[in-house]
Every structure is written in C-alpha cells, then in structure tokens.
Amino acid sequence: MKLPESFYEAVKEYQIGPGDILAGAVADFDREYRFADTVVALTRDKLLIAAYPYREKQEYKLGGYGGIAPDMTLAGKPALAIYPLEKVESLKVLRQIGTGVLMGEIEGTERFLCQFSNTKQGYFHKLEEILRKVKAGEDIQEKDLDVEHNRKACPKCGMLYPDQERQICPKCMDKRSILLRVMSYFKPYKLQLALMVLCYLGTVALNLAWPYLSGTALYDKVLSKDEDFVAFLGLPAGSFLAALTMLVIAMIVAKGIGQLFGILQGVMTAKVAPRVVGTIKSQVFDSMGRLSISFFTKRQTGGLMTRVCDDAGEISNFFIDGIPYFFINSLTLVVTVIIMFALNPLLALSSVILMPLLVVMSYRMLPHLWHFYGKRHRANRRLNSQVNENLTGARVVKAFGREEQEIRRFGRNNGKVRDSEMDLARYDNRFYALYYSVEDTVSFLVWAVGGAIMISGFSRSAGETISLGMLLTFSGYVGQMKGPLEFMSRIVRWYTNCMNSAQRIFEIIDATPEIREAKDPYRPGALKGEIELKNVTFGYEPHKPILKEISFHVNSGEVFGIVGRSGSGKSTLVNLISRLYDPEEGEVLVDGINVKQYGFRELRRNVAMVSQETYIFMGTVAENIAYARPDATRKEILSAAIQASAHDFICKMPEGYDTMLGSSGRSLSGGEKQRISIARAILADPKILILDEATSAVDTETELAIQQSLERLEKGRTVISIAHRLSTLRNAKRLIVLDEGRITESGTHEELMEKKGTYYKLNELQTKALAMRGLE
Amino acid sequence: MQEERLDLLNLREFDEEAYKKESEELLEMRMLTAETATFARTEGGFLSLKVGDKEYKRVRVYLTFPLTNPEEYISIREATEKAKEIGMVESLSVLPANQQEMLREQIRLRYFMPEIRKVMELKEEYGYAYWYVETTYGVCRFTTHMSNDAVVTLGESRLLVTDIDGNRYEIPDFYALTVQERKRLDLFL
C-alpha cells in the first residue's frame, strides 16, 4: 500500500522505513470536520498516526475518487503519534451516517483516533482486520491488503469502475463511439434510409425553387410580360396566358411532388423507426433478464423500464428526424444564402444581418424556457402522484376523516401547477414575442431596403432596379430561413438528450452480471439435495454484513428450520442457495459442489422457493401455476392446486382456472396469492424446496391444510423452512436460530429447548399465547 | 411430536415476569433529564452517560428527526451492536450548557453533512454525474449515480445529495442558487 512521501519522511527519524509498514489508510477530516489528512499506518509492532494540519482552498475529492494517491502533496509537518502495538488492543471503525470514526482501544481506554468520509471507509476496515490478524499472529496475505477486493479497474486510467456490473470507465468512454454504435442499429435499413435522403434532398430543391417560382417567375417574368421568358419557354411571342398556365401547372406539380416526397418519407419512417425501437427494446430486455438481482435492487426497476422505452423512442426520433433534418436545414440555409447573394447582395445582406441575433437569442433564452417546462413537469407530477395516492389510499383518508386536509393539500399542489403554468406562459410569451419581432424586423428590413431601392431606382449590384418579383422572392427566402434557424437552436439540446438516452440504454445492454454462470458449468442429471454453508459472510453493501460466518449442513431429504426475528437475515440466507447473490466470503455447497460451478438452469430447476413476497404474473390462473413448467398437463395443474389448497377458491371464480390475473385482471387476496405460489412450487417439483414464510398470509385453518400438503411435498426433498410461527416448523429435524446475522443456536428441537435460549423463549411465548387464549 | 408439544405447556421454567418487564420496557418512553442523567466526555474523546446508578462507558447519540428537528427528542443508545435505547432527551435545552455541547458534538459527528453553497460544475457522463462544488467545508469533487435517489427533494426546496460512496451533502435552498446553478441541477429534478 502506497502512502504519501511526506509521511515516510516524517517517520524516518523513528527508524521506520517504507518496508516496515504493513498497511495504511488516509483519513480526510479533522476533528473540526474540515478537510485535512490524517495518515494511520501499522507496522509489525507500532500504530502510527500522523495528523496533517488543515489547509485552506484545497480541492477535495470524495465519492468515486477513492484510493490513496501516492503523490498526494501534504503540506506542513504532521503531528505524529506512535503507539506500541502491545498497548493497542484493537481498532474499530464506528460507522456514522456520512462518515466513519476510527476508534482504538489503547490501554483499556477507547480512544477517538480520526474520522473520515465514507469514501475511505473500506481502507480503515482493512486496517481493523489487519491489526486483528497481527494480534492473533496470523499471516497477512496479499489479499488482506487488497482494498479493491475483486473490484476491477479501468485498464486505461486505473480508476475503479464505479459500478462493477458495468465495466465501462465513464472517464475514458468515447462519446463518438456511442453515436457510431447507435448508427449501427440503422444498418439493416440502408435502402430505406437512402430513399429518405433522396426525399429530403428533393424537398430542399423544391423549397429553394418555390420562392423563385412564386416571386420572380410569376411577377417579373409572366405578370410583367417578359418576352424573353415566353421565348425561353418555347411559346409563341405574346402568349402570356399560356406562360401563366404553364407556370401555375409547374407550381402545382412542384407542390404535388413535394407532397409525394413527404408521403414517401413518412412511409419510410414508419417502416424503419418502429423496427429500430423494437430491436433496442428487446436487446435491453434480454440484457435485463441476464442481470443479477442486485442490479434491480440498486435501481428503481419500474422507472427503469419506462425510461428505457422512452429512451429508445428518443434515439430513433433523433436519428430519423434529427440527423437528416440537420443536414437538410444546413443545406437549405447555405444554399438559400448563396442564392440570395447571387440574386442581390445588398438585399441578401439586409436579410441575413440580423440572423446571428436570432441564433444568440434562442441559444441564451431557450434553456430558461426549458427550465420553466421542467418546473411545470415537476409540479404536474407532484399533483398526479397526490391524486394517485388519494385514490389508492381513499380508505385511510376516509377512516381518519382527513378529507379536508387532502383537499387543502390538493389545492396547494394545484396552485403550484397553476403558478408554474403561468410562469411558463409569461416567459414563453416574452421569448416568442421577442423572437418573432426580430424575425419580423428582418422581413421589414428586406421590404424597406428593397422598396427604397425600387423607388430610388438604385442598386449597387448590377445598376438595375429591383423588381417586385425579386422582392417577393427574397421575402420568400427569408421566410424559409426561419424554420432551419429555429431547428439549429434546438439541435444541440436534442443531440445531448439523444446521447444521454443512448448512454442509459447501453448502460443496461453492456452491464455484465455480477453473478455469472461458470464457463464450463456442472450439469448434473439429478441432485441429491444436500446443502452446506461454510463460513458464509454476506452483505448487500460492502462493510455492512447481513450474514456473518454462517455454517451449517443439511442432509438430503431433511427438513431444516430457520428461526429468527425479522431483519436477522433469514431470507438473505436462502437467496444465497439459489445463487441470487454470491457470498462475500465462504462458500455455499449443494451436493458437495460449490453453487458457483452449477449451470443456472440445473441449479434453479432444482431449487424452488415459496416466499413471503408472492408474485402473480399477467395471465390465467393455470398459466401462473404452470409458470415453472409451461408444459404441465391440466391434470397436473389441478393436482398441484388441490395440494396447495387453492383448488376451492379457484373453482369458485366464474372463469375458474381460466381467470385472468395480473394488472387488468382479477385481484387476489394475500392468502390466495400465496396458495397459488405454493401450487407453482409443487408443480415445479424441485429437489430443494425453500419455504420462506410460505404460510404467513393465510389464516390458521388454511395454514393447517397447507401444512399437510407441504408435509406431503416434503417427502423426498430437502426443505429449508423459515418461519416466525414455530408451529410451522414442527417437522423440522434440525433448526438454527439467527440473530443479527449470526447463528446463535442450533440443534434439534429438544436440544434447543434444553438450552433455554432464544428458541426456548420464543417457543414458550407462542405456546403461552395460545394457552392464554384457551383460558379465556 | 404432538406429545412433546404438550410438554411445553409446562411453564414453570419460563420467567414470565422477567419477560413482561422486558416487553413493557420496550414499550415505554423513557426521558432523560438533567436530574436523572449526566453526560460526560470520556478520556478517549467519546461520550459517557450515568443514569441513576447505572453507568455507560460510551453511548451513541441518534437524532429522531435529523433533518427537521436536530435539537429535540434525541435518542441515547448503547454502544453495542444492537444499540439498545437507554432513553431520550426531550430537548437539549433541559441539559446543562456543557453537556448540551457534548451532545451537539456527537450529533455533528454522526450527521456530518456539508452544505453545498455553489455548484461550479455538474457534468453527466454515461450514467454518472460529476460534481464540482463549494461546500461549507471547502471545495470538493464527487460522483453520484444518475438515478433519482442520488438527489432527493425534501420539502419545497431542500435537496439531499448522496454520492456513490454514501457521503451526504445538503443544498438548503435550491432557489437561493443562481439560475445557472439551478440549470445544472435540472438534470436531477
């Protein structure tokens, strides 16, 4: 472990060299909570603490910038404290909310040694452990010193991947590659895209021709009876009416072709966009299926999917509308300006002179406008969620008689929506009024300059007067520039939005699951169902273990009970058996083989879980029961339902087993859902059955019935049963009691009763409660 | 099996009184006052507590309303893994001034949260947001996830920011920031 140079300097005079230091960590706060460094280091026989003075204007790096920079320049000389290790009993990290404190037990006194941000927490935990090992005389191995335990770092810049599920360094990410990657989704549609480009080009050409046709050609050539023009059209001299007819026909044809291009392009868009969106979405969903549970628990799953769906649309829109229009609009702008200058430089100059102002204005003012849009969106969302809350919680609102209060709350939220709406309208008006007045000024300027030239009969360009048609043509061109200009002011934001959407999507597509199937997985035909846990330690977050050094063994075909109060880690424990998570330390063995070596399919087909969280999918009752085995016959489904005591209530429903469940279908009570999930497990016919409070939501009578069916189900399987009610566990041959993530008691029912510990107490309480009720 | 069960109804060995007392204690709200409790600073820099004739070598101080009411209803807990509650201090003001200070020190320690005064830079890149801010404790950089829970709105305009390592920061009043800064934060709202 590398520590700052100045620290090595400071300890040199105590005959401590860099080689003597076993481990070290740098704390980043002083006791006044200012950013100041304290180095804590261990040698074989000493604890060194070097507190550096606080320096102002130092830039500090917290979340995501972990690690000890060896070149960290520490100002000043540190205040050094050295404790001989025989006086230091232990080090302990005391977790606070946003910080940690290192406490040392030194000569029987608990001492506050230093405090640090959560970023440094891991280093101090290591220090704590290393001291324990040194004290116990254990060897210190390379892996003990490795704080970035199992965590991978970016090969380019060395920064730890902030998210281990997604090994992409956000710093070294190439933004352009996102663009290219998104483009690759459009590759299969080259032909359609080419057609679209053709349509766009045609539109540009028509757009450019239109002002000329309706201005110069109509007024200057036909209406002002230009003989050359008639001759140019190949008509007999003087036949202006014919020329007019031809011009009108040409104009109609131009419009018609324009429409045709529009339709064609619409058809192509309709062909390409939904397909690309579909491909992206299914890739995302595929990837989500692969990912381990922890990916979803870290994020809000519901929001994730809707966001992804919106994102896919956003990307496709940008590529179908954004990019082509960007080229079309740039082309239109450039060509328009060129044509204008070619026709009449002075008029052209007066029409483009104010254009930069428009660009600047929209660039500066649009963000504010978006801000107001965002505010309105938030206010609306708050209002909607309140309405939603009140509808779903109507019973509670009524029961407590809080209608008045809710109405007032609605009034407040509604007021906020109104205010934000008004703010938005106000700014919106201001912006567009200003914007359009500049635009109109441009038009007026063209008219004014053009008019002045016409009247004075002077034009610098060719010494000829400007005609009315020319003026109309110009005004047409000016009008045509408005659209592209507005577009240009939006494109930057559009582009960033699209890239962000793409990022989010690739974030999910690229995520590598934390839990991966072994390369050459073990695929046994059938399992015996023997389970063993060896020194398993696990926590959802680093340094916050939920399970601590759990070891037990369950024989094949045995019923094993787990008892413990809520939050003691029971459910977490069983999640490790079906490998929804991997333990941090220790191993989980099934039939003597680490679960990591099994193929997912083999392992999970053999492990079924009935948990306290029941989940009903959209579909019929029968489909829900046959979820794990879609090929099950009707008879098998019926038999599973009967065994789970679900048959009766299913039969009573008008559509029986064909009843639609899920979002739009019938809703079931908690007990009914639980019975369906039990039936699901019965039908799955696993070798290892995990019952996690499987009967907690049913009434006592039903529980007894289900218990009987479970007993039948338990034959020939290994069952791990978790329950609050000890009566549920009466078949368990052996039991363990979990408390704060540790096994505190284990043994058979009789042994545990003998111990007179937690189990005994629980048992007494529950039988007592029943007995008391009996007396009344 | 069934017969053994019946056996258990023999309750002689079960100390019902002790259990009742324990559960009653759990349901009781115990208030610590200047008369019943004395806090003292330990030699090692922690806080100790004497309640009646019981002495706690080191205690923890939890706030029950850390965001809205940091001076009242303060829960004092044992320094063990279970952190059992010893009692509550209804208000800091009931304690002698020097003891109030000791508790405040512990509260600051547990709920340390720099206030963000200025948001100099906020960049979003590939699912992460990189912050460059000025806090009450100095200028600092940190990274947050781009999910909604990285920045939580409390009440009207107060924001709580949590970075990827779990460090916390506070923006006391969103509307006190400049328009530019608010625009940067728009990303999260």
Side-chain angles (χ1 to χ4, degrees), chain A residues 123-154:
Chain A
Y123 297 91
F124 284 92
H125 274 281
K126 280 286 159 198
L127 214 59
E128 175 187 329
E129 206 179 307
I130 287 167
L131 178 70
R132 195 182 53 74
K133 288 205 166 176
V134 169
K135 285 260 158 194
E138 285 174 43
D139 274 347
I140 290 157
Q141 289 153 2
E142 197 58 34
K143 78 169 212 281
D144 294 330
L145 300 172
D146 179 19
V147 183
E148 283 94 43
H149 179 55
N150 275 337
R151 296 185 67 190
K152 299 218 171 50
C154 167

XYZ file of all heavy atoms in Angstrom, chain A residues 123-154:
270
model
N -10.740 1.294 3.501
C -9.342 1.210 3.895
C -9.218 1.003 5.392
O -8.373 0.261 5.870
C -8.603 2.484 3.488
C -8.572 2.686 2.005
C -9.566 3.410 1.367
C -7.557 2.120 1.248
C -9.551 3.577 0.004
C -7.530 2.282 -0.123
C -8.539 3.020 -0.739
O -8.520 3.172 -2.094
N -10.092 1.667 6.142
C -9.993 1.546 7.591
C -10.518 0.209 8.087
O -10.037 -0.327 9.075
C -10.693 2.737 8.273
C -9.856 3.976 8.199
C -9.994 4.875 7.167
C -8.869 4.211 9.154
C -9.198 5.997 7.086
C -8.062 5.330 9.081
C -8.226 6.230 8.036
N -11.499 -0.322 7.360
C -11.960 -1.662 7.718
C -10.824 -2.661 7.551
O -10.659 -3.570 8.358
C -13.149 -2.070 6.846
C -14.459 -1.603 7.393
N -15.075 -2.253 8.421
C -15.237 -0.545 7.081
C -16.194 -1.615 8.715
N -16.325 -0.575 7.913
N -10.040 -2.485 6.482
C -8.905 -3.375 6.251
C -7.901 -3.250 7.390
O -7.359 -4.234 7.869
C -8.214 -3.006 4.926
C -8.931 -3.552 3.737
C -8.725 -5.044 3.607
C -9.841 -5.593 2.749
N -10.020 -7.020 2.860
N -7.669 -2.023 7.801
C -6.710 -1.754 8.860
C -7.131 -2.468 10.143
O -6.326 -3.091 10.825
C -6.667 -0.239 9.095
C -5.329 0.368 9.479
C -4.305 0.087 8.410
C -5.483 1.864 9.677
N -8.415 -2.388 10.406
C -9.001 -3.034 11.584
C -8.717 -4.538 11.543
O -8.283 -5.135 12.526
C -10.514 -2.738 11.545
C -11.361 -3.392 12.588
C -12.858 -3.139 12.328
O -13.213 -2.065 11.777
O -13.661 -4.002 12.668
N -8.937 -5.094 10.351
C -8.764 -6.526 10.195
C -7.297 -6.937 10.308
O -6.962 -7.948 10.921
C -9.299 -6.913 8.815
C -9.753 -8.339 8.717
C -10.271 -8.608 7.326
O -11.144 -7.844 6.863
O -9.786 -9.559 6.695
N -6.439 -6.114 9.703
C -5.020 -6.461 9.714
C -4.470 -6.422 11.138
O -3.728 -7.300 11.550
C -4.229 -5.552 8.752
C -4.567 -5.978 7.328
C -2.740 -5.653 8.998
C -4.134 -5.013 6.284
N -4.894 -5.449 11.914
C -4.426 -5.403 13.294
C -4.884 -6.654 14.043
O -4.135 -7.253 14.803
C -4.941 -4.147 14.012
C -4.517 -4.098 15.485
C -3.022 -3.839 15.605
C -5.288 -3.086 16.282
N -6.127 -7.055 13.759
C -6.641 -8.247 14.427
C -5.764 -9.458 14.082
O -5.409 -10.255 14.939
C -8.086 -8.493 13.991
C -8.855 -9.482 14.857
C -10.258 -9.712 14.329
N -10.271 -10.089 12.915
C -9.913 -11.281 12.451
N -9.521 -12.213 13.277
N -9.947 -11.543 11.160
N -5.390 -9.528 12.806
C -4.567 -10.650 12.368
C -3.176 -10.591 12.972
O -2.626 -11.612 13.371
C -4.475 -10.672 10.844
C -5.780 -11.107 10.219
C -5.587 -11.717 8.849
C -6.864 -12.429 8.441
N -6.803 -12.955 7.106
N -2.611 -9.399 13.030
C -1.275 -9.251 13.604
C -1.316 -9.683 15.069
O -0.460 -10.421 15.555
C -0.795 -7.780 13.497
C 0.466 -7.568 14.318
C -0.551 -7.413 12.046
N -2.367 -9.245 15.747
C -2.516 -9.582 17.172
C -2.659 -11.087 17.368
O -2.155 -11.646 18.325
C -3.756 -8.885 17.726
C -3.551 -7.408 17.950
C -3.282 -7.179 19.406
C -2.554 -5.873 19.639
N -2.015 -5.781 20.971
N -3.395 -11.707 16.448
C -3.635 -13.139 16.579
C -2.461 -13.952 16.054
O -2.483 -15.175 16.108
C -4.914 -13.514 15.850
N -1.466 -13.256 15.531
C -0.294 -13.937 14.999
C -0.542 -14.630 13.674
O 0.193 -15.515 13.284
N -1.611 -14.235 12.992
C -1.905 -14.842 11.692
C -1.069 -14.202 10.597
O -0.613 -13.079 10.740
C -3.394 -14.652 11.340
C -4.317 -15.558 12.114
C -5.772 -15.220 11.839
O -6.114 -14.983 10.665
O -6.546 -15.182 12.815
N -0.914 -14.946 9.525
C -0.180 -14.410 8.380
C -0.994 -13.328 7.687
O -2.213 -13.419 7.632
C 0.086 -15.534 7.373
C 1.341 -16.273 7.747
O 2.081 -15.749 8.602
O 1.561 -17.376 7.205
N -0.287 -12.379 7.163
C -1.003 -11.377 6.388
C -0.739 -11.629 4.921
O 0.396 -11.694 4.484
C -0.588 -9.976 6.812
C -1.161 -9.760 8.207
C -1.133 -8.935 5.860
C -0.489 -8.753 8.989
N -1.813 -11.866 4.208
C -1.646 -12.220 2.805
C -1.932 -11.023 1.920
O -2.530 -10.043 2.349
C -2.601 -13.368 2.449
C -2.167 -14.663 3.067
C -3.336 -15.594 3.296
O -4.466 -15.275 2.947
N -3.063 -16.729 3.891
N -1.523 -11.229 0.701
C -1.708 -10.166 -0.288
C -3.174 -9.725 -0.335
O -3.490 -8.559 -0.398
C -1.273 -10.702 -1.661
C -1.019 -9.649 -2.696
C 0.051 -8.650 -2.286
O 1.028 -9.017 -1.592
O -0.119 -7.482 -2.669
N -4.077 -10.699 -0.244
C -5.485 -10.343 -0.425
C -6.050 -9.553 0.756
O -7.045 -8.860 0.627
C -6.326 -11.591 -0.708
C -6.675 -12.454 0.487
C -7.716 -13.478 0.047
C -8.679 -13.869 1.117
N -8.458 -14.746 2.139
N -5.383 -9.661 1.915
C -5.828 -8.873 3.056
C -5.590 -7.388 2.825
O -6.258 -6.532 3.396
C -5.072 -9.286 4.319
C -5.426 -10.704 4.722
O -6.565 -11.110 4.431
O -4.576 -11.385 5.302
N -4.561 -7.117 2.034
C -4.190 -5.719 1.829
C -4.958 -5.108 0.676
O -4.920 -3.909 0.450
C -2.686 -5.632 1.532
C -1.805 -6.168 2.656
C -0.362 -6.224 2.197
C -1.924 -5.286 3.882
N -5.656 -5.961 -0.024
C -6.300 -5.512 -1.247
C -7.665 -4.915 -0.930
O -8.635 -5.619 -0.716
C -6.439 -6.742 -2.167
C -7.103 -6.404 -3.456
O -7.130 -5.206 -3.800
O -7.591 -7.332 -4.113
N -7.714 -3.602 -0.889
C -8.986 -2.954 -0.559
C -9.948 -3.069 -1.721
O -11.141 -3.233 -1.567
C -8.767 -1.462 -0.234
C -10.072 -0.824 0.172
C -7.760 -1.326 0.872
N -9.389 -2.999 -2.922
C -10.232 -3.085 -4.111
C -10.536 -4.545 -4.398
O -10.508 -4.988 -5.534
C -9.544 -2.426 -5.306
C -9.597 -0.929 -5.275
C -8.372 -0.307 -4.648
O -7.258 -0.769 -4.940
O -8.515 0.642 -3.862
N -10.792 -5.264 -3.330
C -11.066 -6.689 -3.352
C -12.031 -7.047 -4.471
O -13.198 -6.641 -4.445
C -11.650 -7.054 -1.987
C -12.005 -8.485 -1.843
N -11.109 -9.487 -2.062
C -13.164 -9.083 -1.497
C -11.701 -10.643 -1.856
N -12.949 -10.425 -1.515
N -11.531 -7.799 -5.439
C -12.391 -8.262 -6.536
C -12.946 -7.160 -7.416
O -13.766 -7.403 -8.275
C -13.596 -9.027 -5.990
C -13.245 -10.458 -5.746
O -12.301 -10.954 -6.350
N -13.973 -11.101 -4.871
N -12.555 -5.939 -7.141
C -13.157 -4.880 -7.938
C -12.222 -4.572 -9.086
O -11.019 -4.485 -8.925
C -13.400 -3.645 -7.080
C -14.397 -3.929 -5.989
C -14.712 -2.696 -5.226
N -15.417 -1.731 -6.058
C -15.639 -0.496 -5.677
N -15.210 -0.059 -4.524
N -16.296 0.338 -6.456
N -12.784 -4.426 -10.247
C -11.950 -4.221 -11.419
C -11.811 -2.744 -11.714
O -12.698 -1.954 -11.431
C -12.571 -4.950 -12.601
C -12.675 -6.436 -12.361
C -12.378 -7.212 -13.624
C -12.252 -8.694 -13.346
N -13.345 -9.262 -12.565
N -10.653 -2.419 -12.283
C -10.391 -1.028 -12.599
C -10.235 -0.858 -14.100
O -9.950 -1.804 -14.819
C -9.132 -0.569 -11.890
N -10.437 0.349 -14.554
C -10.299 0.669 -15.962
C -8.845 0.483 -16.373
O -7.950 1.020 -15.737
C -10.737 2.108 -16.203
S -10.278 2.729 -17.812
